mmCIF file of all heavy atoms in Angstrom:
data_model
loop_
_atom_site.group_PDB
_atom_site.id
_atom_site.type_symbol
_atom_site.label_atom_id
_atom_site.label_comp_id
_atom_site.label_asym_id
_atom_site.label_seq_id
_atom_site.Cartn_x
_atom_site.Cartn_y
_atom_site.Cartn_z
ATOM 1 N N PHE J 82 -46.013 40.252 39.324
ATOM 2 C CA PHE J 82 -45.539 39.520 38.169
ATOM 3 C C PHE J 82 -44.871 38.189 38.477
ATOM 4 O O PHE J 82 -44.197 38.078 39.464
ATOM 5 C CB PHE J 82 -44.485 40.457 37.416
ATOM 6 C CG PHE J 82 -43.782 39.731 36.265
ATOM 7 C CD1 PHE J 82 -44.385 39.609 35.062
ATOM 8 C CD2 PHE J 82 -42.507 39.137 36.443
ATOM 9 C CE1 PHE J 82 -43.699 38.937 33.978
ATOM 10 C CE2 PHE J 82 -41.872 38.483 35.445
ATOM 11 C CZ PHE J 82 -42.458 38.412 34.161
ATOM 12 N N GLU J 83 -45.092 37.211 37.642
ATOM 13 C CA GLU J 83 -44.450 35.932 37.737
ATOM 14 C C GLU J 83 -43.967 35.427 36.400
ATOM 15 O O GLU J 83 -44.752 35.471 35.434
ATOM 16 C CB GLU J 83 -45.353 34.856 38.369
ATOM 17 C CG GLU J 83 -44.707 33.559 38.646
ATOM 18 C CD GLU J 83 -45.537 32.619 39.466
ATOM 19 O OE1 GLU J 83 -46.691 33.005 39.858
ATOM 20 O OE2 GLU J 83 -45.062 31.503 39.807
ATOM 21 N N HIS J 84 -42.737 35.020 36.338
ATOM 22 C CA HIS J 84 -42.151 34.498 35.112
ATOM 23 C C HIS J 84 -42.568 33.013 34.905
ATOM 24 O O HIS J 84 -42.563 32.243 35.838
ATOM 25 C CB HIS J 84 -40.642 34.599 35.097
ATOM 26 C CG HIS J 84 -40.001 34.016 33.883
ATOM 27 N ND1 HIS J 84 -39.635 32.676 33.791
ATOM 28 C CD2 HIS J 84 -39.564 34.666 32.763
ATOM 29 C CE1 HIS J 84 -39.091 32.476 32.598
ATOM 30 N NE2 HIS J 84 -39.008 33.685 31.961
ATOM 31 N N ASN J 103 -35.043 35.246 30.624
ATOM 32 C CA ASN J 103 -35.472 36.556 30.116
ATOM 33 C C ASN J 103 -34.920 37.695 30.941
ATOM 34 O O ASN J 103 -34.510 37.529 32.025
ATOM 35 C CB ASN J 103 -36.983 36.612 30.084
ATOM 36 C CG ASN J 103 -37.621 35.552 29.251
ATOM 37 O OD1 ASN J 103 -37.956 34.492 29.782
ATOM 38 N ND2 ASN J 103 -37.706 35.772 27.977
ATOM 39 N N GLY J 104 -34.912 38.869 30.293
ATOM 40 C CA GLY J 104 -34.405 40.047 30.961
ATOM 41 C C GLY J 104 -35.474 40.947 31.607
ATOM 42 O O GLY J 104 -36.690 40.581 31.625
ATOM 43 N N LEU J 105 -35.063 42.076 32.138
ATOM 44 C CA LEU J 105 -35.904 43.102 32.609
ATOM 45 C C LEU J 105 -35.264 44.446 32.420
ATOM 46 O O LEU J 105 -34.037 44.505 32.389
ATOM 47 C CB LEU J 105 -36.288 42.918 34.104
ATOM 48 C CG LEU J 105 -35.208 43.297 35.191
ATOM 49 C CD1 LEU J 105 -35.925 43.521 36.498
ATOM 50 C CD2 LEU J 105 -34.218 42.174 35.288
ATOM 51 N N TYR J 119 -40.027 46.997 33.515
ATOM 52 C CA TYR J 119 -40.681 46.094 32.612
ATOM 53 C C TYR J 119 -39.991 44.746 32.730
ATOM 54 O O TYR J 119 -38.793 44.630 32.522
ATOM 55 C CB TYR J 119 -40.609 46.528 31.166
ATOM 56 C CG TYR J 119 -41.363 45.670 30.211
ATOM 57 C CD1 TYR J 119 -42.758 45.698 30.083
ATOM 58 C CD2 TYR J 119 -40.643 44.655 29.480
ATOM 59 C CE1 TYR J 119 -43.431 44.833 29.275
ATOM 60 C CE2 TYR J 119 -41.335 43.777 28.682
ATOM 61 C CZ TYR J 119 -42.714 43.869 28.558
ATOM 62 O OH TYR J 119 -43.428 42.958 27.740
ATOM 63 N N PHE J 120 -40.834 43.715 33.095
ATOM 64 C CA PHE J 120 -40.317 42.345 33.189
ATOM 65 C C PHE J 120 -40.714 41.550 31.868
ATOM 66 O O PHE J 120 -41.857 41.650 31.432
ATOM 67 C CB PHE J 120 -41.002 41.614 34.360
ATOM 68 C CG PHE J 120 -40.640 42.150 35.675
ATOM 69 C CD1 PHE J 120 -41.472 43.065 36.319
ATOM 70 C CD2 PHE J 120 -39.473 41.793 36.367
ATOM 71 C CE1 PHE J 120 -41.132 43.592 37.559
ATOM 72 C CE2 PHE J 120 -39.166 42.320 37.588
ATOM 73 C CZ PHE J 120 -39.984 43.229 38.209
ATOM 74 N N VAL J 121 -39.832 40.770 31.376
ATOM 75 C CA VAL J 121 -40.115 39.896 30.205
ATOM 76 C C VAL J 121 -40.408 38.495 30.683
ATOM 77 O O VAL J 121 -39.795 37.967 31.557
ATOM 78 C CB VAL J 121 -38.901 39.853 29.305
ATOM 79 C CG1 VAL J 121 -39.268 39.074 27.975
ATOM 80 C CG2 VAL J 121 -38.458 41.290 28.892
ATOM 81 N N SER J 122 -41.405 37.849 30.040
ATOM 82 C CA SER J 122 -41.719 36.440 30.336
ATOM 83 C C SER J 122 -41.651 35.628 29.094
ATOM 84 O O SER J 122 -41.969 36.126 28.013
ATOM 85 C CB SER J 122 -43.147 36.324 30.970
ATOM 86 O OG SER J 122 -43.359 35.010 31.400
ATOM 87 N N CYS J 446 -25.931 37.004 38.483
ATOM 88 C CA CYS J 446 -27.108 36.094 38.524
ATOM 89 C C CYS J 446 -26.537 34.689 38.240
ATOM 90 O O CYS J 446 -25.846 34.442 37.274
ATOM 91 C CB CYS J 446 -28.101 36.490 37.453
ATOM 92 S SG CYS J 446 -28.645 38.189 37.446
ATOM 93 N N GLY J 519 -33.600 29.976 40.443
ATOM 94 C CA GLY J 519 -32.449 30.538 39.696
ATOM 95 C C GLY J 519 -32.741 31.891 39.102
ATOM 96 O O GLY J 519 -33.845 32.071 38.487
ATOM 97 N N THR J 520 -31.787 32.788 39.115
ATOM 98 C CA THR J 520 -31.927 34.129 38.586
ATOM 99 C C THR J 520 -31.248 34.158 37.218
ATOM 100 O O THR J 520 -30.182 33.566 37.007
ATOM 101 C CB THR J 520 -31.228 35.183 39.498
ATOM 102 O OG1 THR J 520 -31.720 35.004 40.841
ATOM 103 C CG2 THR J 520 -31.508 36.565 39.073
ATOM 104 N N ARG J 521 -31.849 34.885 36.251
ATOM 105 C CA ARG J 521 -31.210 35.035 34.938
ATOM 106 C C ARG J 521 -30.777 36.478 34.683
ATOM 107 O O ARG J 521 -29.717 36.721 34.121
ATOM 108 C CB ARG J 521 -32.289 34.664 33.837
ATOM 109 C CG ARG J 521 -32.608 33.190 33.806
ATOM 110 C CD ARG J 521 -31.442 32.352 33.510
ATOM 111 N NE ARG J 521 -31.797 30.946 33.378
ATOM 112 C CZ ARG J 521 -31.812 30.041 34.380
ATOM 113 N NH1 ARG J 521 -31.492 30.464 35.585
ATOM 114 N NH2 ARG J 521 -32.184 28.841 34.165
ATOM 115 N N SER J 522 -31.539 37.539 35.088
ATOM 116 C CA SER J 522 -31.215 38.898 34.799
ATOM 117 C C SER J 522 -31.464 39.762 35.980
ATOM 118 O O SER J 522 -32.245 39.418 36.838
ATOM 119 C CB SER J 522 -32.028 39.360 33.541
ATOM 120 O OG SER J 522 -31.662 40.644 33.161
ATOM 121 N N SER J 523 -30.763 40.901 35.965
ATOM 122 C CA SER J 523 -30.960 41.863 37.114
ATOM 123 C C SER J 523 -30.749 43.268 36.678
ATOM 124 O O SER J 523 -30.240 43.513 35.515
ATOM 125 C CB SER J 523 -29.899 41.542 38.189
ATOM 126 O OG SER J 523 -28.562 41.611 37.681
ATOM 127 N N VAL J 524 -31.165 44.189 37.489
ATOM 128 C CA VAL J 524 -30.872 45.607 37.226
ATOM 129 C C VAL J 524 -30.619 46.250 38.617
ATOM 130 O O VAL J 524 -31.229 45.919 39.624
ATOM 131 C CB VAL J 524 -32.108 46.301 36.511
ATOM 132 C CG1 VAL J 524 -33.385 46.166 37.313
ATOM 133 C CG2 VAL J 524 -31.759 47.749 36.194
ATOM 134 N N ILE J 537 -33.035 44.518 41.528
ATOM 135 C CA ILE J 537 -34.275 43.736 41.143
ATOM 136 C C ILE J 537 -33.944 42.684 40.119
ATOM 137 O O ILE J 537 -33.168 42.965 39.258
ATOM 138 C CB ILE J 537 -35.396 44.767 40.662
ATOM 139 C CG1 ILE J 537 -35.767 45.686 41.779
ATOM 140 C CG2 ILE J 537 -36.581 44.004 40.168
ATOM 141 C CD1 ILE J 537 -36.850 46.679 41.399
ATOM 142 N N THR J 538 -34.475 41.553 40.277
ATOM 143 C CA THR J 538 -34.110 40.441 39.350
ATOM 144 C C THR J 538 -35.358 39.984 38.558
ATOM 145 O O THR J 538 -36.450 40.237 38.881
ATOM 146 C CB THR J 538 -33.579 39.251 40.217
ATOM 147 O OG1 THR J 538 -34.677 38.625 40.861
ATOM 148 C CG2 THR J 538 -32.522 39.662 41.181
ATOM 149 N N ASN J 539 -35.036 39.177 37.536
ATOM 150 C CA ASN J 539 -36.088 38.424 36.866
ATOM 151 C C ASN J 539 -35.642 36.926 37.035
ATOM 152 O O ASN J 539 -34.624 36.537 36.593
ATOM 153 C CB ASN J 539 -36.189 38.782 35.379
ATOM 154 C CG ASN J 539 -37.507 38.305 34.783
ATOM 155 O OD1 ASN J 539 -38.356 37.688 35.391
ATOM 156 N ND2 ASN J 539 -37.714 38.584 33.495
ATOM 157 N N GLU J 540 -36.465 36.220 37.706
ATOM 158 C CA GLU J 540 -36.213 34.802 38.023
ATOM 159 C C GLU J 540 -36.680 33.909 36.835
ATOM 160 O O GLU J 540 -37.436 34.344 36.032
ATOM 161 C CB GLU J 540 -36.869 34.403 39.285
ATOM 162 C CG GLU J 540 -36.494 35.155 40.507
ATOM 163 C CD GLU J 540 -35.013 35.077 40.873
ATOM 164 O OE1 GLU J 540 -34.629 33.911 41.263
ATOM 165 O OE2 GLU J 540 -34.278 36.017 40.763
ATOM 166 N N TYR J 541 -36.215 32.684 36.852
ATOM 167 C CA TYR J 541 -36.683 31.748 35.830
ATOM 168 C C TYR J 541 -37.790 30.893 36.411
ATOM 169 O O TYR J 541 -37.623 30.163 37.430
ATOM 170 C CB TYR J 541 -35.554 30.811 35.408
ATOM 171 C CG TYR J 541 -35.852 29.961 34.234
ATOM 172 C CD1 TYR J 541 -36.029 30.443 32.938
ATOM 173 C CD2 TYR J 541 -35.969 28.568 34.390
ATOM 174 C CE1 TYR J 541 -36.342 29.648 31.905
ATOM 175 C CE2 TYR J 541 -36.235 27.700 33.349
ATOM 176 C CZ TYR J 541 -36.413 28.265 32.106
ATOM 177 O OH TYR J 541 -36.719 27.432 31.019
ATOM 178 N N ASP J 543 -40.418 31.888 38.159
ATOM 179 C CA ASP J 543 -40.727 32.280 39.506
ATOM 180 C C ASP J 543 -40.975 33.741 39.583
ATOM 181 O O ASP J 543 -40.862 34.540 38.572
ATOM 182 C CB ASP J 543 -39.628 31.806 40.430
ATOM 183 C CG ASP J 543 -40.019 31.797 41.932
ATOM 184 O OD1 ASP J 543 -41.254 31.666 42.195
ATOM 185 O OD2 ASP J 543 -39.163 31.958 42.791
ATOM 186 N N ARG J 544 -41.296 34.265 40.806
ATOM 187 C CA ARG J 544 -41.479 35.663 41.010
ATOM 188 C C ARG J 544 -40.153 36.411 41.073
ATOM 189 O O ARG J 544 -39.146 35.779 41.423
ATOM 190 C CB ARG J 544 -42.312 35.960 42.229
ATOM 191 C CG ARG J 544 -43.733 35.409 42.182
ATOM 192 C CD ARG J 544 -44.421 35.625 43.553
ATOM 193 N NE ARG J 544 -44.608 37.084 43.799
ATOM 194 C CZ ARG J 544 -44.911 37.601 44.966
ATOM 195 N NH1 ARG J 544 -45.008 36.763 46.058
ATOM 196 N NH2 ARG J 544 -45.144 38.850 45.141
ATOM 197 N N PRO J 545 -40.061 37.692 40.787
ATOM 198 C CA PRO J 545 -38.821 38.436 40.950
ATOM 199 C C PRO J 545 -38.375 38.537 42.400
ATOM 200 O O PRO J 545 -39.148 38.247 43.333
ATOM 201 C CB PRO J 545 -39.148 39.814 40.386
ATOM 202 C CG PRO J 545 -40.521 39.678 39.722
ATOM 203 C CD PRO J 545 -41.160 38.552 40.320
ATOM 204 N N MET J 546 -37.198 39.024 42.557
ATOM 205 C CA MET J 546 -36.706 39.447 43.857
ATOM 206 C C MET J 546 -36.595 40.987 43.791
ATOM 207 O O MET J 546 -36.030 41.510 42.830
ATOM 208 C CB MET J 546 -35.357 38.817 44.268
ATOM 209 C CG MET J 546 -35.502 37.352 44.608
ATOM 210 S SD MET J 546 -34.018 36.681 45.383
ATOM 211 C CE MET J 546 -32.860 36.717 43.991
#
Side-chain angles (χ1 to χ4, degrees):
F82 172 80
E83 185 170 2
H84 178 275
N103 302 93
L105 75 161
Y119 183 80
F120 296 96
V121 186
S122 186
C446 306
T520 308
R521 293 297 185 270
S522 184
S523 59
V524 58
I537 296 182
T538 73
N539 199 358
E540 303 294 295
Y541 187 69
D543 197 23
R544 297 178 67 195
M546 289 191 290

